C-alpha cells in the first residue's frame, strides 16, 4: 500500500496550486491520468479576471456584481466576494512565479474586455493564458519535487470512505495495469469537468466525469449538474475552442446574411454579452435558417482587426483555423457553432474547499475539491469568461490551506487494502468477461448525439424525457459491450470503457436535473418555461442516489448584497 499525507487527483491549475500550498509541511502526491502540462487547464486561451484597473478604474465590487449577474443570481455571494477580492493578489503571485503576461506600452499587465464584464479585467498571455499559467505552476512543482511526488498516467477508480471520513483512493498505473491503494490523511479532487458527454465540445478527451462520479458513487450528492455552459465559438463540427478573446479584441459575429445579429439579442453589449446569451442567439439564428450557406454554423469575422493585431493578440486562433480548416482568419471568416464548454455544477463544497454531504453544509472529513469538478457556486447558472482560471487558482490555494490545517494534526484512518483492491479488480473482470454483443463506440456516439440534440442549448420536457429513456437504454447496452484488448500493459481501451461508464452516469444526472428545473436561468434554457422563476427555483439542485432512484433536494442560495434583478444586456 502506498502512503502519502495528501493525495491530489488532477494536475491542472487547481490541483497544482493546491499541491504548492500543501507541500509546505506535508508529503503530497499528485495523481494524473495525463502528463501535468497536458492538463485541460492549458486549453484556456482568453485570460484570467482581476480588478487591477490597469486600463480604466475598476473595483472588486464591480467584479462581484458582474459575476453574480452573469450567473443569473444563482451564485453564492459570500464565496463570490472572497474570490473577487483575492483576484489581484493572485495575479501578482502568478507573475512572481514566472507567468508571463502580455503588457501595456508602459509595462503594466494588459487587460482586455470579455463577455459580461463591465470593465476590461481579463489579464492575458496573448491567447495562450491557461498554457502560460499551467507551465509556471508546473515549474514551481518541480522546484518542490522533494515534498511532491507526481504519479503521471495513473487512473483513479474510487474513493475509500469510512463513515464520514475519506481515507484514500484506489488507483491503477495505466502503463502496467497494476491496481494500488493510496492511503492518505486527506484527498483532494481537482479532476475537471465532463463536457465529453456532448458531441460538440471544447473539452479535452480526459474530461470524462471520473471525479464527480467517484464522489457520487460513495453516496455524496452533486450540485447543479443541469447547468452546462455552451461556448459561442466552437470550431464548426469539431468544437475546438476559438477563444472569447477574439470578441474581446473586437471580432464580429455574422449570420448567413452577413448581419451582426447580436444587435437583436443584446443591443448594449453586442458580441460581448455573456456566453449563454450569445450561444442561444447563435443557435436561434441557425434554427431560423440563417446559418452560413445553409449549414449549422455562423461566421466569426476578425478581418477588420488587421494582421498585426491578430498576430500579436490572437496567434493561436489564427493557427487553429489554418490547421483544422485551412482558413486564415486574416483574410476569411471562421465558421463556428455553440460547443459544450464548462460545467457550473459538480461536487458540492464550502468556500474553504471542504466537500459537503448534504443541503445543510455537513462536511466530509478529509475530502476536498477545487476547480471545475467542484461547485462552490461562484458561477451560479452561467460562468463569465476568464472567471474559471481565477476559480481554479483561488480555490486550489484555499483547498491547499484547508488540507494543510486538517491533515497536519491527525493520523491515517482505517483502510482494508485487500477489500478495496478487490472491488476495483472485480470491476475490471466484469468488463473483460462481458459477452460482447454491443459496441462501446456506438454507445458513446449515441450518448453524445442525444445529449447534444435533446439536452443542449435549448431543452424542453418532451426532449428531456426521450433523452433520459435513451440514456437508461444505453446503460443497459453498456453491460453487454465487447473489449478486444484483454492485456494489462498500456491497455487504453479498458480505461475508455470505464470513462464511458462514468459519462453515461453523468449524462443521466444532467438530464434528470434539467427536467426537474422548470425555468430558464443562465446556461439552462427550457423553451417550455422560457422565464426565470425565482419564486420556485431560486435554489441549488442537490441530486442524490437513493434506493428509490435519483432524488433532488433544494439547497439555499447565499444572498448577501445583491437581490435578484432582471438580467439584461
Amino acid at each position: 500500500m502506498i502512503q502519502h499525507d495528501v493525495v491530489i487527483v488532477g494536475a491542472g491549475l487547481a490541483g497544482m496550486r493546491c499541491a504548492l500550498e500543501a507541500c509546505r509541511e506535508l508529503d503530497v502526491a499528485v495523481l494524473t491520468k495525463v502528463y501535468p502540462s497536458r492538463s485541460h487547464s492549458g486549453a484556456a486561451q482568453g485570460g484570467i479576471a482581476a480588478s487591477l484597473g490597469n486600463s480604466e478604474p475598476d473595483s472588486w465590487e464591480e467584479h462581484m456584481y458582474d459575476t453574480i449577474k452573469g450567473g443569473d443570481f444563482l451564485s453564492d455571494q459570500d464565496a463570490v466576494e472572497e474570490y473577487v477580492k483575492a483576484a489581484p493578489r493572485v495575479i501578482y503571485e502568478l507573475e512572481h512565479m514566472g507567468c508571463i503576461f502580455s503588457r501595456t506600452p508602459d509595462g503594466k499587465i494588459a487587460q482586455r474586455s470579455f463577455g459580461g464584464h463591465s470593465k476590461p479585467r481579463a489579464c492575458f498571455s496573448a491567447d495562450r493564458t491557461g498554457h502560460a499559467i499551467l507551465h509556471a505552476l508546473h515549474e514551481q512543482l518541480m522546484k518542490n519535487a522533494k515534498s511532491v511526488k507526481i504519479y503521471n498516467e495513473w487512473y483513479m477508480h474510487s474513493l475509500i470512505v469510512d463513515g464520514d471520513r475519506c481515507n484514500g483512493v484506489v488507483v491503477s498505473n495505466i502503463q502496467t495495469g497494476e491496481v494500488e491503494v493510496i492511503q492518505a490523511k486527506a484527498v483532494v479532487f481537482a479532476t475537471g469537468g465532463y463536457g465529453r458527454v456532448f458531441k460538440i465540445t471544447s473539452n479535452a478527451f480526459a474530461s470524462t466525469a471520473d471525479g464527480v462520479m467517484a464522489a457520487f458513487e460513495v453516496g455524496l450528492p452533486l450540485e447543479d449538474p443541469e447547468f452546462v455552459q455552451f461556448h459561442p465559438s466552437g470550431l464548426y463540427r469539431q468544437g475546438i475552442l476559438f477563444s472569447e478573446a477574439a470578441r474581446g479584441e473586437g471580432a464580429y459575429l455574422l449570420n448567413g446574411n452577413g448581419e451582426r445579429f447580436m444587435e437583436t439579442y443584446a443591443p448594449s453589449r453586442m458580441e460581448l454579452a455573456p456566453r449563454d446569451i450569445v450561444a442561444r442567439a447563435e443557435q436561434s439564428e441557425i434554427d431560423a435558417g440563417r446559418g452560413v450557406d445553409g449549414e449549422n454554423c455562423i461566421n466569426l469575422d476578425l478581418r477588420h482587426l488587421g494582421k498585426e493585431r491578430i498576430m500579436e493578440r490572437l496567434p493561436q486562433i489564427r493557427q487553429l483555423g489554418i490547421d483544422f480548416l485551412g482558413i486564415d482568419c486574416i483574410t476569411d471568416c471562421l465558421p463556428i457553432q455553440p460547443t459544450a464548454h464548462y460545467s457550473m455544477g459538480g461536487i458540492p463544497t464550502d468556500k474553504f474547499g471542504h466537500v459537503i454531504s448534504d443541503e445543510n453544509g455537513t462536511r466530509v472529513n478529509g475530502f476536498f475539491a477545487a476547480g471545475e469538478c467542484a461547485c462552490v457556486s461562484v458561477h451560479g447558472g452561467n460562468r463569465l469568461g476568464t472567471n474559471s482560471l481565477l476559480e481554479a487558482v483561488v480555490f486550489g490555494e484555499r483547498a491547499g490551506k484547508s488540507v494543510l490545517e486538517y491533515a497536519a494534526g491527525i493520523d491515517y484512518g482505517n483502510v482494508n487494502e485487500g477489500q478495496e483492491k478487490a472491488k476495483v479488480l472485480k470491476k475490471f473482470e466484469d468488463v473483460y468477461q462481458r459477452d460482447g454483443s454491443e459496441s462501446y463506440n456506438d454507445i458513446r456516439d449515441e450518448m453524445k448525439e442525444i445529449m447534444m440534440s435533446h439536452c443542449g442549448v435549448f431543452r424542453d420536457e418532451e426532449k428531456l424525457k426521450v433523452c433520459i429513456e435513451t440514456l437508461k437504454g444505453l446503460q443497459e447496452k453498456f453491460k453487454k459491450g465487447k473489449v478486444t484488448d484483454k492485456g494489462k500493459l498500456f491497455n487504453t481501451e479498458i480505461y475508455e470503457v470505464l470513462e464511458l461508464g462514468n459519462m453515461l452516469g453523468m449524462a443521466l444526472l444532467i438530464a434528470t436535473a434539467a427536467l426537474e428545473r422548470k425555468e430558464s436561468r443562465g446556461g439552462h434554457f427550457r423553451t417550455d418555461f422560457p422565464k426565470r422563476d425565482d419564486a420556485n427555483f431560486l435554489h441549488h439542485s442537490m441530486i442524490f442516489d437513493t434506493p428509490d432512484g435519483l432524488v433532488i433536494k433544494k439547497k439555499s442560495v447565499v444572498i448577501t448584497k445583491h437581490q435578484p434583478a432582471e438580467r439584461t444586456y
Side-chain angles (χ1 to χ4, degrees):
M1 184 158 60
I2 303 167
Q3 259 191 353
H4 292 280
D5 291 338
V6 178
V7 60
I8 299 166
V9 185
L13 297 192
M16 287 206 274
R17 187 63 189 85
C18 179
L20 285 174
E21 209 58 36
C23 76
R24 296 177 184 194
E25 294 175 33
L26 301 170
D27 163 35
V28 175
V30 177
L31 186 102
T32 168
K33 63 180 180 178
V34 297
Y35 195 71
S37 58
R38 295 285 176 269
S39 295
H40 189 47
S41 298
Q45 298 167 356
I48 175 169
S51 54
L52 302 183
N54 283 351
S55 57
E56 58 181 272
D58 196 6
S59 66
W60 68 260
E61 289 93 344
E62 289 168 284
H63 188 184
M64 178 176 176
Y65 185 71
D66 289 346
T67 298
I68 292 163
K69 181 183 175 185
D72 224 344
F73 296 90
L74 200 71
S75 309
D76 287 328
Q77 297 181 16
D78 58 338
V80 175
E81 180 169 339
E82 297 197 25
Y83 156 80
V84 297
K85 279 180 175 173
R89 172 185 62 80
V90 161
I91 298 300
Y92 295 130
E93 280 180 359
L94 289 172
E95 184 186 34
H96 292 170
M97 285 179 188
C99 181
I100 298 169
F101 289 104
S102 295
R103 299 279 164 177
T104 62
D106 59 354
K108 291 179 179 174
I109 292 172
Q111 293 186 279
R112 61 178 158 218
S113 298
F114 244 72
H117 290 278
S118 58
K119 298 286 175 70
R121 62 173 69 98
C123 311
F124 60 94
S125 303
D127 58 353
R128 301 188 181 96
T129 313
H131 179 90
I133 300 172
L134 190 73
H135 281 263
L137 290 179
H138 191 211
E139 286 164 5
Q140 293 298 315
L141 269 196
M142 293 296 98
K143 197 167 93 175
N144 288 279
K146 283 184 181 172
S147 51
V148 180
K149 180 171 173 59
I150 299 178
Y151 291 84
N152 293 310
E153 296 179 324
W154 284 60
Y155 185 88
M156 186 277 302
H157 295 281
S158 58
L159 275 168
I160 301 170
V161 176
D162 179 22
D164 66 346
R165 182 175 171 187
C166 180
N167 294 323
V169 286
V170 187
V171 300
S172 59
N173 182 339
I174 296 171
Q175 294 180 47
T176 65
E178 289 300 316
V179 174
E180 302 277 4
V181 167
I182 302 181
Q183 186 181 24
K185 296 174 182 177
V187 174
V188 185
F189 273 9
T191 55
Y194 35 84
R196 294 306 302 183
V197 303
F198 294 90
K199 182 182 179 184
I200 304 294
T201 179
S202 63
N203 281 200
F205 281 94
S207 300
T208 54
D210 304 336
V212 285
M213 289 310 292
F216 191 68
E217 280 164 15
V218 295
L220 294 172
L222 296 185
E223 183 173 346
D224 291 342
E226 66 268 39
F227 291 104
V228 177
Q229 178 175 86
F230 282 79
H231 195 292
S233 46
L235 173 63
Y236 179 45
R237 287 189 175 144
Q238 298 182 56
I240 295 165
L241 190 66
F242 287 138
S243 172
E244 192 171 326
R247 285 175 285 129
E249 294 293 342
Y252 300 149
L253 295 175
L254 306 176
N255 64 17
N257 302 332
E259 300 158 340
R260 283 181 72 187
F261 56 87
M262 282 310 298
E263 195 166 1
T264 309
Y265 301 92
S268 70
R269 298 292 290 161
M270 294 290 284
E271 283 88 356
L272 288 175
R275 288 175 179 172
D276 60 325
I277 291 172
V278 181
R280 282 196 293 276
E282 289 180 357
Q283 196 62 51
S284 298
E285 291 294 303
I286 290 167
D287 293 348
R290 293 189 290 272
V292 176
D293 298 329
E295 298 282 342
N296 292 328
C297 64
I298 53 111
N299 273 334
L300 181 68
D301 186 2
L302 297 94
R303 295 171 296 180
H304 56 283
L305 299 180
K307 181 176 180 179
E308 189 179 337
R309 189 179 180 101
I310 290 171
M311 294 305 291
E312 181 197 343
R313 297 290 184 93
L314 306 167
Q316 183 175 237
I317 288 175
R318 177 176 182 250
Q319 200 58 49
L320 286 170
I322 291 168
D323 290 347
F324 288 94
L325 293 172
I327 293 174
D328 188 340
C329 65
I330 292 171
T331 55
D332 293 290
C333 293
L334 296 166
I336 58 170
Q337 72 183 114
T339 183
H341 180 62
Y342 190 86
S343 322
M344 273 75 75
I347 303 166
T349 71
D350 63 19
K351 60 188 179 183
F352 302 104
H354 290 266
V355 173
I356 57 176
S357 62
D358 57 31
E359 65 277 22
N360 302 315
T362 308
R363 286 179 174 178
V364 181
N365 293 317
F367 187 28
F368 304 80
E372 192 176 353
C373 73
C375 184
V376 62
S377 213
V378 287
H379 306 308
N382 170 64
R383 176 175 72 73
L384 294 187
T386 70
N387 268 354
S388 65
L389 293 183
L390 181 64
E391 177 200 21
V393 180
V394 168
F395 289 103
E397 178 190 22
R398 295 192 83 147
K401 282 186 159 76
S402 296
V403 162
L404 195 54
E405 191 182 325
Y406 173 83
I410 59 162
D411 288 326
Y412 290 98
N414 296 322
V415 171
N416 184 329
E417 185 184 7
Q419 190 180 328
E420 296 296 341
K421 264 192 189 179
K423 285 185 209 166
V424 169
L425 288 168
K426 183 177 185 307
K427 203 188 262 187
F428 273 115
E429 206 51 40
D430 284 350
V431 174
Y432 285 136
Q433 297 301 330
R434 287 172 187 169
D435 63 3
S437 57
E438 299 287 350
S439 157
Y440 288 120
N441 287 337
D442 290 349
I443 294 167
R444 186 185 298 106
D445 289 345
E446 197 176 336
M447 171 196 71
K448 288 170 173 284
E449 288 277 1
I450 195 77
M451 286 299 288
M452 202 72 201
S453 61
H454 285 57
C455 192
V457 176
F458 293 116
R459 302 161 172 181
D460 65 48
E461 183 173 358
E462 189 182 335
K463 280 185 174 178
L464 288 168
K465 284 181 172 173
V466 170
C467 183
I468 289 166
E469 286 312 306
T470 304
L471 291 169
K472 285 177 178 174
L474 291 175
Q475 285 183 326
E476 289 306 308
K477 283 185 178 180
F478 178 76
K479 296 172 186 171
K480 302 174 192 151
K482 181 174 185 178
V483 173
T484 52
D485 183 354
K486 306 220 170 162
K488 276 184 128 182
L489 303 181
F490 250 121
N491 184 348
T492 54
E493 186 183 5
I494 187 74
Y495 294 103
E496 285 180 8
V497 171
L498 296 174
E499 288 171 339
L500 175 58
N502 287 330
M503 288 193 287
L504 285 168
M506 191 65 228
L508 189 58
L509 296 180
I510 294 169
T512 303
L515 180 63
E516 185 78 10
R517 185 173 284 275
K518 296 176 172 64
E519 66 156 356
S520 292
R521 184 189 298 270
H524 168 73
F525 195 91
R526 289 279 297 263
T527 54
D528 46 351
F529 296 98
K531 294 272 187 270
R532 194 178 83 195
D533 180 0
D534 288 340
N536 295 305
F537 290 99
L538 184 61
H539 61 75
H540 299 293
S541 307
M542 297 284 272
I543 189 162
F544 293 79
D545 195 11
T546 74
D548 301 322
L550 298 176
V551 170
I552 297 176
K553 297 182 182 178
K554 299 176 180 181
K555 177 173 168 248
S556 300
V557 177
V558 180
I559 296 172
T560 56
K561 294 186 173 180
H562 301 291
Q563 291 302 313
E566 190 186 352
R567 184 170 171 250
T568 56
Y569 290 94

